[in-house]
Amino acid sequence: MNVLRRLDRLIAPHAHRSAAITTCLWPQRCRYQTTTSSSGGPNSTVTLNASEVRGVAQILRQQRGNLGQPTSVSHPHLIRPDELVPGVEMAEFKERRNQLMQNIRAYARSFGGQFNGHSSASHMLVLGAASKKYMSGKIPYVFRQNSDFYYLTGCLEPDAVLLLTIDEAQSVHSELFMRPKDPHAELWDGPRTGPELSVPLFGVTEAHPLAQLQAVLAKRAGALKPHIWFDQKSCDLPSLAENMVRLSGQEQRPLLPAYTFLEAMRLLKSRAEMQLMRRTCDIAARSFNEVMAESRPGQSEHHLFAAIDYKCRMRNASHLAYPPVVAAGQNATVIHYVSNSQLLGPHDLVLMDAGCEYGGYTSDITRTWPAGGRFTDPQRTLYEMLHQLQAEIVGAVMKPGGETLDQLFETTCYKLGKYLQEIGLVAKSVSDYKELAGQGYRFCPHHVSHYLGMDVHDTPHVPRNTRLVPGMVFTVEPGIYIGQDCGDVPPEFRGIGIRIEDDLLINEHGQVEVLTDACVKDPRALQELCQQRQRDDSGTSALL
């Protein structure tokens, strides 16, 4: 049985699914209700006490924020004094760790006295950070933390390891294994937090140097005789994977995958995460508007790539969320076109699919606009059709035909087939629902939605037939792609590719928010925006 659905039954069998996946969806700031605390008491609260707050503040002042990652002292423009990372407080990370282990324990207990051939009520979960990667020699890529590791710790350093345990008394214990302080290494690569400061900074129970990992793992496993949870396939640290395989053999316990539990939690955003999603989407939306307004024929697709990257970063995004698609003319009929090297022709449409990352959360937008400022008649016909279709799909969310992402896709394919029939691209003789949906799929051969969050294609193992509920963020992105070789389509429509993509949030009140609504897409407003630069250029030329 799917773990997400089983958790739904276990944690709150009489509650709505949105409350069943996790008991803490929209916590108040610095206060998080849960079924148990790390000490195992029922109906208790995870909080930061005054001494913890003072301790962290003192450390940051003494270190001048000079730790292994940005802090409220070193980056006050991004991180507030009560936050560990942009937008999220330490108490929320502590609650996530506690909730994860409680969910795992509840799942195992649902099988009765024994789970996976053993009667132990204890569990151990091990999760590694990302490793530093190199493009050549000693030249590194920009480091990006493993999303699950970041979600549970807020730690942005490479090569770290998180160990979580829950015992028979439901006491959750968290331990971080960090690179030790090393003046020579820090001279070259920047400061490290080290295990000494990791307990107050990240709110874990204990912290150790990485060299002690194997010994501590063996000690905890020997004492608890736990079930062992470790995602070997996704582990980025070879030495950690070797340690876990060795431990599995010594304890004669299999390594159980934990990603489903993490994705079930990450699927539903807390209030802090909702705010981060609003922020990253707003950054991308306003940056898109500026790029569209400034684009003109003769530019390279690469120039627009650079422009969207620049404008997002100028609004404090860390970087683009993925290599963008900037496709002019018939390049837009290649769904994952990333060469971004052609020039924009005067009658080309430009399709840009881009998003940014802010505070560890990503946006994902696609807009299509006329490089010359005006749609040709065939372009306008297709664009207005797709614009209307996308509005209808957004309106169908959480209603019949739009209660899951798969339903949204099926509805999109059918409606697209009908619209294409109305404009003469699909034969009038086609009347069967499946045939019309098939015709829609022919011209839009990708899913219309995916979950969105810390990753662009977030929580990929959560089925798209999962009912949409408050806390979810996802895309709605219908497209139409007509290749030059589509011989049964009138020639004037060939070589046109259009996609319109927005990011949606179902908030805590059950309302559907279009997080990227600030990004212009109305066809008239879009033409007006795209002609802005040309009018400005004409006015400047007249003055000269």
Side-chain angles (χ1 to χ4, degrees), residues 19-34:
I21 297 174
T22 174
T23 60
C24 176
L25 298 188
W26 305 289
Q28 299 297 320
R29 295 180 65 81
C30 261
R31 183 180 175 91
Y32 301 90
Q33 297 292 339
T34 180

Side-chain angles (χ1 to χ4, degrees), residues 87 270-280 358 505:
S270 68
R271 281 181 175 170
E273 291 179 291
M274 290 182 190
Q275 283 298 102
L276 284 166
M277 290 303 304
R278 293 182 180 107
R279 177 64 174 149
T280 187
Y358 176 85
L505 160 69

Side-chain angles (χ1 to χ4, degrees), residues 11 53-54 119 154 167 184 220 300 322 326 332 343 362 512 538:
I11 300 173
V53 174
R54 286 195 298 271
S119 59
D167 60 19
H184 178 74
R220 301 288 180 261
S300 166
Y322 51 92
V326 187
L343 299 179
T362 62
V512 178
S538 297

